[in-house]
Amino acid sequence: MGILALLHDASSSEVRLLQVTEVDRLAQTIRLGKRPHPVPLVPASWTVLLRCLNHREVWPTENPRVVVTKGTKAGRSPASTAYLSHALDDCGFPPRMIRSTRLVDLVNTMDPKLVAAAVGMDPQAALIYLADHVDPGRLPDR
């Protein structure tokens, strides 16, 4: 969860709903939520995802999700929101904060509308991540 939030601005919802069929092993991409295109994973993310898939294969389950818990292995439902929101308790940062940090960086260095389109969010929603800082290098000379 943490690596996908940090490097690919994945939300908890996108991770908990991710299905095995949405993982392309050949292209090393995943389909996340409402994003218009598959998300190419960097080597670190791909390694973590493979560990999740290997862990999942140890349990006999028909659940189509990548993230399977003791409570969801017998059914087809996704892991609970609470499960993912506490998955990173040991590191001291909730998934939402990690994702927000990534979005702040993207929105403040790129066009917010492009970022919104890339991650499948409403363009107005991306604007809340604009920082309260103006890069002097972007201002016209006076």
Side-chain angles (χ1 to χ4, degrees):
M1 172 67 226
I3 197 91
L4 291 176
L6 180 64
L7 298 179
H8 306 286
D9 44 274
S11 69
S12 295
S13 176
E14 289 173 327
V15 173
R16 63 186 279 273
L17 297 176
L18 180 63
Q19 296 189 24
V20 175
T21 57
E22 297 168 326
V23 175
D24 184 335
R25 289 179 181 260
L26 187 61
Q28 294 187 353
T29 62
I30 57 175
R31 285 215 146 296
L32 287 176
K34 297 178 184 176
R35 297 182 190 208
H37 303 286
V39 176
L41 300 182
V42 297
S45 303
W46 184 249
T47 300
V48 170
L49 180 63
L50 287 179
R51 288 182 66 196
C52 287
L53 292 172
N54 291 339
H55 173 75
R56 185 188 176 287
E57 289 174 5
V58 172
W59 287 353
T61 183
E62 295 296 319
N63 193 317
R65 315 288 174 190
V66 170
V67 178
V68 178
T69 67
K70 289 179 184 177
T72 63
K73 73 177 184 174
R76 299 185 62 78
S77 62
S80 70
T81 303
Y83 177 85
L84 280 179
S85 68
H86 291 291
L88 301 177
D89 282 353
D90 289 344
C91 81
F93 297 99
R96 182 176 293 206
M97 182 182 292
I98 294 171
R99 178 177 191 249
S100 294
T101 300
R102 174 70 174 154
L103 287 171
V104 164
D105 181 53
L106 288 174
V107 167
N108 283 280
T109 57
M110 301 172 73
D111 183 329
K113 288 184 179 181
L114 292 177
V115 173
V119 300
M121 64 187 333
D122 181 84
Q124 291 297 319
L127 295 178
I128 67 168
Y129 294 99
L130 283 173
D132 204 10
H133 169 76
V134 175
D135 182 1
R138 292 187 179 199
L139 295 175
D141 292 329
R142 291 192 179 182

